[in-house]
Amino acid sequence: MAPPAEARTAEDPTTFPAPELQGLASVLRLLAGTENLETLLGRLPSTPDPRLHVGYEEAAARLGIPEKWLRERIGTLPHRKMGRYVQFTAEDLKAISDMHFVGPSSDTASSKGSSATLTALRPSSRSRTRA
């Protein structure tokens, strides 16, 4: 038995000629498929942080590093200082991340197939001798 006309229009986006109506149909399908508002809101993109500056704790969390690491190296990292308060902007955090970028080295790529370039391992002069 064929489904009623109303069911076909809700399921088949080709029956909506205008793009606005196709978008509306997609939103209605999304709303119908969620059990509660929290589930729906979890799918939406998050809004950016409106704060202009963040402190050590938030900067470390955004970079995914310990706060102590930032504090120990603050003299070599881009930041803002307002009196005794150290603050970071989004550009500062991007610059810190870019400062520590490590790309593949060119000599490891060329020596992958060559075992002749490997050096023999020798114990250091500081290692203990066995009795």
Side-chain angles (χ1 to χ4, degrees):
M1 178 163 120
E6 297 83 22
R8 269 194 317 237
T9 57
E11 293 296 323
D12 187 13
T14 59
T15 60
F16 299 110
E20 297 86 15
L21 293 177
Q22 290 176 355
L24 179 61
S26 298
V27 169
L28 291 175
R29 269 190 236 108
L30 178 66
L31 288 172
T34 57
E35 297 81 33
N36 57 23
L37 185 59
E38 290 80 21
T39 306
L40 177 63
L41 292 177
R43 294 181 188 173
L44 297 176
S46 62
T47 58
D49 193 358
R51 295 178 293 169
L52 182 61
H53 299 102
V54 295
Y56 279 114
E57 185 178 352
E58 179 69 23
R62 287 187 187 185
L63 290 169
I65 58 173
E67 183 180 334
K68 183 179 177 183
W69 187 93
L70 278 177
R71 289 184 183 275
E72 290 172 350
R73 292 164 179 81
I74 193 61
T76 62
L77 301 174
H79 63 282
R80 308 288 187 263
K81 190 150 186 181
M82 295 168 216
R84 64 184 178 120
Y85 300 104
V86 174
Q87 299 286 304
F88 300 91
T89 63
E91 293 81 23
D92 294 336
L93 298 178
K94 173 87 171 98
I96 291 170
S97 177
D98 291 343
M99 286 170 59
H100 295 90
F101 171 76
V102 178
S105 62
S106 60
D107 56 330
T108 58
S110 64
S111 66
K112 274 191 174 179
S114 165
S115 62
T117 59
L118 295 177
T119 59
L121 295 176
R122 283 184 247 128
S124 71
S125 60
R126 294 178 16 187
S127 64
R128 296 186 320 198
T129 59
R130 293 189 179 172

